[in-house]
């Protein structure tokens, strides 16, 4: 029996697939940036139009106590903005993750809300990106604006971080960067909660290139990264990207054990040859204090790692979204 012709499956109408993805998704983490947000978003929009790119802007309000979120909503009436409000301040790393998870663009640009990185450099970065790099990131051309102490600390931190680390984290890299969709997807697939984005950016790999930029002073407001916050971030970086602080105690312990053995031999020999020598208070006190300090330090280091393991094991989400509104064509 032959099948009637109308029973065959044929496409009825040719379906045109329209790519609704914008060329660029901008991710802007903002914590108390009410004074900067308007100028930043308008500049970003102007630049995207000038570069002839379709775009969306994802503003992540990281628990601001000012009107940052309301500003983003107001701007979303004229610009394709997705405004995301986190339920409290989770830190820039988490705010960036929240932003990245909302992007739909073929490429993603991460940008600070204070426009310290001039948006006029975007064209140059896109040029390199279009030459075939998957990631183009900005590096500071110099650190002349920073105090000598901060420069020394930062330099030392990156040296420590890269000691025995499997990836090379560029020391002067900013978070300001353009990434291909596949890089963003790789970043979003990482399950860890203690995020040190500069490390993760380099860990995922891909073909990268750096573009030096001159930082401008902040438009308004003050830096949100005080010494305490930087120190916390540095600890997260160290504990999530290197294990040498844990392992080094084996080496230190070994050397101290060898030294103690030699010293014990010497004391026994001295006692046998010259008899009992009672003084030695200073040596004993110094040894007890030194070893006690060293033990506390090593326990502290283990504690740092343990606290990260603890927070990973609990599996709490890295951030919680309290509100979200979009005018970027997704309802
Ligand atoms: N930021 C954030 N959450 C925070 C701290 C900072 O989203 O807890 C944002 C901030 O609004 C800005 C960016 O991260 O858009 C960089 O912060 P800041 O300019 O204070 O850092 P700096 O440029 O001084 O390193
Ligand atoms: Mg800044």
């Amino acid at each position: 029996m032959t099948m009637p012709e109308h029973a065959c499956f044929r496409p009825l109408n040719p379906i045109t697939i329209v790519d609704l993805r914008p060329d660029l998704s901008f991710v802007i983490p903002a914590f108390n940036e009410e004074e900067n947000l308007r100028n930043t978003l308008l500049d970003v929009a102007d630049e995207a139009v000038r570069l002839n790119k379709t775009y969306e802007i994802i503003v992540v309000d990281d628990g601001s106590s000012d009107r940052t979120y309301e500003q983003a909503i107001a701007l979303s009436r004229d610009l394709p903005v997705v405004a995301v409000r986190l339920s409290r301040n989770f830190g820039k790393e988490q705010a960036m993750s929240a932003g990245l998870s909302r992007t739909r663009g073929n490429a993603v640009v991460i940008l600070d809300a204070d426009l310290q990185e001039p948006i006029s450099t975007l064209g140059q970065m896109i040029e390199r990106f279009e030459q075939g790099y998957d990631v183009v990131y900005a590096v500071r051309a110099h650190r002349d604006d920073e105090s000598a102490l901060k420069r020394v600390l930062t330099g030392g931190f990156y040296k420590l971080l890269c000691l025995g680390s499997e990836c090379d984290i560029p020391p002067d890299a900013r978070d300001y960067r353009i990434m291909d969709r596949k890089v963003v997807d790789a970043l979003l697939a990482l399950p860890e909660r203690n995020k040190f984005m500069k490390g993760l950016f380099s860990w995922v790999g891909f073909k990268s290139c750096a573009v030096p930029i001159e930082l401008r002073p902040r438009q308004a407001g003050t830096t949100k990264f005080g010494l305490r916050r930087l120190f916390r971030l540095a600890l997260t970086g160290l504990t999530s990207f290197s294990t040498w602080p844990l392992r080094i105690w084996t080496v230190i312990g070994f050397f101290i054990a060898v030294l103690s053995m030699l010293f014990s031999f010497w004391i026994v020999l001295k006692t046998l040859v010259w008899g009992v020598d009672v003084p030695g208070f200073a040596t004993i006190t110094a040894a007890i204090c030194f070893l006690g300090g060293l033990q506390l330090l090593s326990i502290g280091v283990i504690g740092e790692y343990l606290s990260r393991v603890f927070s990973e094991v609990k599996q709490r989400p890295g951030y919680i979204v309290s509100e979200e509104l979009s005018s970027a064509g997704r309802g």
Side-chain angles (χ1 to χ4, degrees):
M1 191 183 133
T2 55
M3 199 114 86
E5 200 191 323
H6 65 266
C8 300
F9 288 104
R10 265 189 259 137
L12 292 174
N13 294 313
I15 299 170
T16 327
I17 296 173
V18 183
D19 187 4
L20 288 173
R21 292 176 164 207
D23 298 326
L24 296 176
S25 293
F26 291 91
V27 171
I28 304 187
F31 177 45
N32 292 338
E33 302 282 5
E34 129 187 83
E35 294 157 286
N36 288 320
L37 205 62
R38 187 181 163 76
N39 285 345
T40 304
L41 262 59
L42 292 178
D43 283 5
V44 165
D46 280 351
E47 192 63 17
V49 170
R50 199 183 68 76
L51 294 167
N52 208 8
K53 302 283 181 199
T54 54
Y55 68 98
E56 60 178 3
I57 306 175
I58 292 137
V59 178
V60 184
D61 168 18
D62 187 14
S64 303
S65 51
D66 65 1
R67 298 181 51 80
T68 299
Y69 186 70
E70 286 73 10
Q71 275 276 359
I73 299 291
L75 286 156
S76 74
R77 289 189 200 114
D78 303 316
L79 302 173
V81 169
V82 180
V84 182
R85 181 184 235 166
L86 302 188
S87 61
R88 65 169 170 86
N89 179 246
F90 284 92
K92 185 185 178 189
E93 314 295 297
Q94 299 296 352
M96 282 194 281
S97 306
L100 287 178
S101 71
R102 262 94 187 144
T103 57
R104 288 179 315 156
N106 293 317
V108 173
V109 179
I110 299 184
L111 199 67
D112 284 357
D114 55 1
L115 271 200
Q116 281 196 274
E117 292 108 347
I119 191 73
S120 54
T121 53
L122 185 66
Q124 198 192 346
M125 291 180 50
I126 290 183
E127 211 173 281
R128 300 307 301 270
F129 184 70
E130 285 171 353
Q131 283 167 4
Y133 287 98
D134 298 317
V135 180
V136 180
Y137 59 92
V139 290
R140 302 179 67 132
H142 58 79
R143 285 184 175 264
D144 295 351
D145 54 321
E146 288 186 343
S147 68
L149 176 71
K150 196 171 171 195
R151 261 182 286 170
V152 171
L153 288 180
T154 316
F157 166 68
Y158 279 102
K159 283 220 175 71
L160 288 181
L161 190 59
C162 291
L163 262 183
S165 162
E166 58 190 288
C167 53
D168 241 353
I169 299 169
D172 291 323
R174 304 283 301 172
D175 290 327
Y176 174 40
R177 59 192 56 227
I178 175 164
M179 297 181 282
D180 192 86
R181 180 82 247 159
K182 63 184 175 198
V183 182
V184 177
D185 290 342
L187 280 168
L188 290 173
L190 299 176
E192 61 204 270
R193 284 157 187 80
N194 284 296
K195 292 206 164 135
F196 177 62
M197 291 304 257
K198 280 200 180 72
L200 296 179
F201 288 146
S202 114
W203 186 88
V204 291
F206 295 100
K207 202 171 160 209
S208 312
C209 119
V211 169
I213 60 158
E214 295 267 344
L215 281 196
R216 294 189 304 197
R218 224 171 197 282
Q219 284 185 14
T222 51
T223 176
K224 313 296 183 301
F225 282 92
L227 215 56
R228 228 184 64 206
R229 214 178 253 261
L230 278 179
F231 186 70
R232 248 194 359 230
L233 187 64
L235 264 184
T236 304
L238 262 181
T239 47
S240 44
F241 278 89
S242 50
T243 46
W244 68 260
L246 275 177
R247 295 208 181 127
I248 198 171
W249 298 104
T250 321
V251 182
I252 295 178
F254 176 76
F255 278 112
I256 291 184
V258 171
L259 283 180
S260 319
M261 228 142 58
L262 293 177
F263 191 51
S264 314
F265 275 135
W266 163 242
I267 290 175
V268 172
L269 199 73
K270 213 169 93 171
T271 313
L272 288 178
V273 178
W274 288 288
V276 181
D277 185 15
V278 176
F281 176 75
T283 322
I284 293 172
T285 316
I288 290 176
C289 291
F290 174 68
L291 291 176
L294 216 60
Q295 277 163 6
L296 286 180
L297 196 65
S298 61
I299 292 173
V301 171
I302 297 172
E304 278 302 323
Y305 279 86
L306 192 64
S307 75
R308 315 277 146 176
V309 174
F310 183 50
S311 72
E312 293 290 342
V313 166
K314 279 187 289 188
Q315 302 216 340
R316 286 188 192 148
Y319 57 84
I320 292 172
V321 174
S322 75
E323 280 175 75
E324 191 165 345
L325 197 133
S326 167
S327 69
R330 44 176 119 182

